[in-house]
Amino acid sequence: MNYLLHIIIICEIYLILALAMNLLGGYSGLLSLTQAAFYGIGAYITALLLTKVGVSFPLALSVAVFFNLIACIPVIWFSIRLRDLFFALSTLAWQIVVFSLLYNWISVTNGPFGISGIPKPEMFGFRFGSLGEFALLGGVITGITLIFFIGLHRTPLSRLFQGVRDDQLAMMTFGKKPSYYKALAILISSGVSAVAGALFATYFSYIDPTSFTLNESILIISMVLIGGLGSVKGSVAGALFYVLLPEALRFVNIPDAVAANLRMMIYALILILLVMYRPHGFFGKYKFE
Amino acid sequence: MTTLLPSNGRTFNQTVLTTRQTGQNLLTNRQTLLKKTKPPPRAKNEILWLPAFGTSRFLPRYKPTHEKAARAKFYPRFVREQKTTENLVLLPLPKTCYYNQSMLLQLIFNSIVAGLLLSAMAMGFNLIFNTTKVFHLAHGAIYVCGAYSLMHFLTFFERGSTFGWFIALSFSILFVILLSWLIELLIYRPLSRRNASQAITLISSMGVYIFLVNLIALIFGNETKFLNPNLGDSISFLNIIIVPIQAVQLLTAAVFLIAVLWISNSKKFLQVRAMMSNETVASVMGVNSNAIRLFAMVLGSILAAIVAILRLYDTGIDPNAGMGITLSAAVAVIIGGGSSIRGTIIASLLIAFLQTTTEWFLSAQWKEGMTFLLLIIVILWRTEGIVSFKMRVEEK
């Protein structure tokens, strides 16, 4: 039962990340490689606030979201005017800069040793200590995120995002600024990633920089790609698929040392085959052309 | 008994007395005596090789006891007391702790060696990137494959014989050629036929990279492998300490760079240049674009394999070593300005200098962060790169 609850919590965390990435990759057409950096900053801010300052969980969560909105301003500043490959490159640059900052700023982040002893979330006097309670909290937060994104994609704002994705020139002739909508998409996506980071930090009660590497960013992108760009259903399916696939491998009696590498190989193979033969993914409405 | 005791200023009687009084054995007594006296003057060739990352292991430092003392002085308690992790994280010392008269010269020499290696890598990346338009992250996987295949083929031949080594080398290079040919044939060519965007080819290349690297980790394990070149002692020249493998690296990289520059000035290479600037027009004019794509992939992969083998004999290779150097090479290509080969060489020397200095003054982990900060600055202020040609607006 505990194992099942653990998988459910991991699913919830990755679902939030995939939804945030889908807004950028699917709806705005920006191949961002910096999602793990946003995720990591969110996790670190929450962890530091909970351990060093000792604020309550809701406050820490909202501060983390707010701080992430500020932290993605540099990304917006230097990558907003780039497109396609160069956008991916500049976000990759930011990902690596943030990673080395988390790794080397020892006085604040404790460097490679990480932050341990992060307390479980406590809301209105109730402590989400056990796995079941945490899964419930995660489920509520994921549900809110899901409803937020479904709602967002019904508003005219989402149409504008898609318009910028499909034809920038046409949007400019309508008097809309493409860079404004791109920046807005990055802001929302980064803020939502911080929520996932906060859940991650409080669930594992220990974080270190190796959870927020470039590989994590690639993993998040492949989740969205396999589910399908530009559909909420797709990113949910992609996240579930990517979390549940290695768990299925667990039942085939493969030793742990091999399983980690084998899992990455299967992910990579799926990514290659997907790009070659089905760029739309499961439920995609858009593909990178 | 007298012969065993050190002559460190104390008389024989005193020494005997202390031995008798304390009742300790001779060895501990000797240690206590040594502690009270000054440390012996450093011999000329007494240099500590630290197992650090990258090139900084070639920089001479004090003996371990002194280094430990210096570390204890400069770093807070929690870092000092982490005895188990001390080997994992090598904290750099402030520059006052180092002792080297020709530090700047050594720094420049090390960065030139690293820069030439990086520029060989970057040249391959440049060729592939400009002809196939693929952001070839799998270059890092090919780099790692080159080193591991040499190691694997060496097990078939007896160690130490030069002939066997060269056969293993040629086998590993053949393997790398085959691998890059397969990647081009199975993945990049179908994608380019469909006019896939660079973002899509980047993703496919990432997939290839992750697949190959994890395959290698599955077969050979995750730990760092390195081979001992057995090339004799290091040479001191103009107060610079040159490790023989560094000299070999310098020479090989220089030879390969000159060869590539010579190839790029030849008449046949005009076709490749035509392909770089406009593939459609070039193929209309009768350039065999598939063959040229293949040529670029193969040449770039050979360069990567050579660099990897040189690194294997120096600091060692682990399955994830490819990503860092490929990203640095990619940054060198972008900073150097698109298709310019001279620009790539200049930029990679610059990046190597930046990385070596960062490693020296901050830590090895800042290396990539600094490289990418440089990329961000270049993207912000000079998107076209250091060496660039003026293009018409329509061509951009």
Side-chain angles (χ1 to χ4, degrees):
Chain A
M1 192 61 200
N2 278 353
Y3 170 67
L4 204 65
L5 285 171
H6 169 76
I7 292 175
I8 289 175
I9 294 169
I10 300 287
C11 274
E12 284 160 359
I13 292 170
Y14 279 108
L15 228 150
I16 298 174
L17 285 173
L19 285 169
M21 179 64 214
N22 196 13
L23 175 65
L24 275 186
Y27 286 89
S28 311
L30 302 169
L31 184 69
S32 158
L33 282 170
T34 182
Q35 289 307 102
F38 294 151
Y39 174 42
I41 292 173
Y44 264 92
I45 295 292
T46 318
L48 286 174
L49 284 177
L50 287 177
T51 52
K52 299 227 167 124
V53 186
V55 297
S56 65
F57 180 71
L59 186 64
L61 184 63
S62 32
V63 171
V65 172
F66 181 70
F67 191 85
N68 242 18
L69 297 184
I70 297 169
C72 71
I73 288 174
V75 185
I76 295 172
W77 178 47
F78 59 72
S79 65
I80 206 71
R81 61 216 171 89
L82 304 169
R83 265 199 243 172
D84 203 15
L85 179 68
F86 278 80
F87 181 85
L89 265 184
S90 60
T91 50
L92 186 146
W94 185 244
Q95 160 71 45
I96 285 170
V97 168
V98 167
F99 174 75
S100 50
L101 208 64
L102 291 181
Y103 202 95
N104 292 300
W105 197 3
I106 289 174
S107 58
V108 175
T109 64
N110 205 6
F113 309 121
I115 299 174
S116 55
I118 303 161
K120 288 271 180 273
E122 211 174 313
M123 267 189 192
F124 316 114
F126 183 76
R127 191 168 171 277
F128 295 89
S130 74
L131 271 174
E133 288 158 357
F134 196 95
L136 196 68
L137 173 73
V140 171
I141 292 177
T142 314
I144 293 170
T145 319
L146 200 60
I147 291 167
F148 168 74
F149 273 109
I150 292 172
L152 179 72
H153 294 318
R154 286 186 181 172
T155 57
L157 184 63
S158 178
R159 298 270 177 280
L160 289 172
F161 287 149
Q162 291 171 42
V164 170
R165 172 192 77 187
D166 292 336
D167 198 339
Q168 286 205 18
L169 204 62
M171 290 312 284
M172 277 157 87
T173 53
F174 288 138
K176 312 283 184 198
K177 263 191 170 172
S179 55
Y180 171 76
Y181 294 102
K182 282 184 191 171
L184 201 61
I186 295 175
L187 274 173
I188 295 172
S189 165
S190 137
V192 173
S193 299
V195 176
L199 277 182
F200 178 84
T202 48
Y203 174 57
F204 285 100
S205 74
Y206 168 76
I207 48 171
D208 69 335
T210 51
S211 312
F212 312 112
T213 52
L214 179 61
N215 284 344
E216 195 72 13
S217 281
I218 296 174
L219 187 70
I220 296 167
I221 287 176
S222 28
M223 272 175 194
V224 178
L225 273 176
I226 196 165
L229 291 164
S231 92
V232 172
K233 201 167 50 171
S235 43
V236 172
L240 290 182
F241 180 79
Y242 261 64
V243 176
L244 296 181
L245 179 75
E247 304 306 329
L249 278 181
R250 224 177 269 263
F251 295 107
V252 201
N253 273 334
I254 296 169
D256 271 358
V258 180
N261 289 322
L262 203 64
R263 194 188 71 185
M264 289 311 284
M265 274 170 69
I266 293 174
Y267 283 166
L269 206 61
I270 291 172
L271 198 62
I272 296 168
L273 292 177
L274 196 77
V275 165
M276 302 278 297
Y277 299 109
R278 198 176 159 77
H280 283 290
F282 290 155
F283 306 106
K285 288 169 186 155
Y286 168 72
K287 60 173 178 158
F288 287 116
E289 245 335 314
Chain B
M1 193 172 168
T2 43
T3 49
L4 283 169
L5 283 169
S7 59
N8 42 32
R10 285 173 178 248
T11 58
F12 172 63
N13 275 342
Q14 271 177 321
T15 323
V16 173
L17 203 68
T18 45
T19 326
R20 274 180 196 159
Q21 274 173 345
T22 52
Q24 288 170 333
N25 61 19
L26 203 66
L27 195 70
T28 47
N29 200 321
R30 188 190 159 119
Q31 281 172 347
T32 49
L33 281 176
L34 269 173
K35 256 184 200 169
K36 281 169 196 165
T37 53
K38 277 184 183 177
R42 207 160 64 99
K44 242 187 183 178
N45 51 357
E46 197 176 298
I47 292 155
L48 165 78
W49 303 116
L50 268 180
F53 315 101
T55 44
S56 70
R57 62 181 268 226
F58 299 117
L59 299 165
R61 298 181 186 182
Y62 265 141
K63 286 187 77 178
T65 47
H66 296 254
E67 169 142 339
K68 216 169 190 178
R71 194 156 288 201
K73 198 173 154 194
F74 281 99
Y75 285 99
R77 250 175 66 201
F78 81 96
V79 179
R80 262 187 283 147
E81 283 167 4
Q82 301 260 1
K83 273 178 191 157
T84 47
T85 45
E86 204 177 51
N87 296 327
L88 278 177
V89 190
L90 257 168
L91 293 166
L93 292 169
K95 55 182 172 181
T96 46
C97 296
Y98 298 105
Y99 178 77
N100 189 2
Q101 284 176 328
S102 55
M103 198 194 81
L104 189 69
L105 271 179
Q106 182 81 49
L107 206 64
I108 289 172
F109 176 73
N110 283 351
S111 53
I112 284 175
V113 174
L116 282 184
L117 285 185
L118 183 62
S119 59
M121 192 77 185
M123 203 97 98
F125 193 89
N126 188 345
L127 264 177
I128 297 171
F129 180 56
N130 282 311
T131 47
T132 63
K133 309 288 178 213
V134 175
F135 195 81
H136 188 47
L137 273 185
H139 207 49
I142 285 174
Y143 168 85
V144 174
C145 277
Y148 272 84
S149 63
L150 178 75
M151 246 173 45
H152 183 63
F153 287 125
L154 270 182
T155 55
F156 293 127
F157 304 99
E158 53 177 313
R159 296 274 175 109
S161 80
T162 324
F163 181 67
W165 190 84
F166 273 105
I167 290 187
L169 179 72
S170 42
F171 266 114
S172 68
I173 284 178
L174 265 179
F175 175 74
V176 160
I177 290 173
L178 194 72
L179 194 68
S180 60
W181 180 70
L182 276 180
I183 293 173
E184 157 71 11
L185 202 70
L186 294 180
I187 295 158
Y188 293 163
R189 195 180 288 174
L191 280 177
S192 97
R193 279 214 188 120
R194 273 196 274 135
N195 285 327
S197 74
Q198 279 184 314
I200 269 294
T201 50
L202 169 68
I203 291 167
S204 71
S205 184
M206 263 176 203
V208 176
Y209 173 80
I210 295 171
F211 184 82
L212 286 178
V213 162
N214 282 290
L215 191 65
I216 288 168
L218 199 68
I219 299 169
F220 295 100
N222 267 316
E223 62 275 1
T224 309
K225 303 263 167 97
F226 67 95
L227 298 177
N228 193 6
N230 286 328
L231 286 173
D233 294 331
S234 50
I235 318 151
S236 184
F237 173 73
L238 284 177
N239 280 335
I240 306 171
I241 290 143
I242 303 170
V243 185
I245 185 70
Q246 265 185 315
V248 175
Q249 284 177 342
L250 192 70
L251 281 177
T252 323
V255 164
F256 271 90
L257 280 191
I258 290 166
V260 172
L261 279 177
W262 180 70
I263 291 175
S264 69
N265 280 329
S266 66
K267 220 168 190 181
K268 196 77 179 160
F269 198 78
L270 272 179
Q271 292 191 345
V272 182
R273 289 203 181 164
M275 182 80 178
M276 280 176 180
S277 65
N278 196 332
E279 192 182 336
T280 325
V281 176
S283 57
V284 166
M285 301 301 276
V287 175
N288 186 352
S289 62
N290 281 345
I292 282 172
R293 284 170 67 103
L294 205 58
F295 164 76
M297 286 287 286
V298 165
L299 189 60
S301 304
I302 291 172
L303 283 174
I306 295 288
V307 174
I309 286 163
L310 289 173
R311 277 295 176 97
L312 176 72
Y313 279 102
D314 172 16
T315 49
I317 292 270
D318 64 287
N320 295 307
M323 190 56 124
I325 194 165
T326 311
L327 289 179
S328 302
V331 172
V333 170
I334 291 161
I335 289 175
S339 55
S340 155
I341 282 178
R342 269 173 303 161
T344 304
I345 295 174
I346 294 169
S348 40
L349 285 172
L350 187 74
I351 286 171
F353 184 70
L354 182 75
Q355 286 187 345
T356 321
T357 338
T358 316
E359 223 170 341
W360 178 247
F361 289 108
L362 286 166
S363 98
Q365 285 295 328
W366 274 113
K367 233 167 55 171
E368 286 183 11
M370 284 294 172
T371 315
F372 277 89
L373 269 182
L374 185 68
L375 175 68
I376 289 174
I377 291 165
V378 168
I379 282 180
L380 269 177
W381 301 114
R382 205 175 152 82
T383 319
E384 70 270 24
I386 299 172
V387 180
S388 64
F389 307 100
K390 277 188 180 157
M391 278 198 290
R392 280 181 302 171
V393 183
E394 311 91 82
E395 272 185 85
K396 274 182 183 170

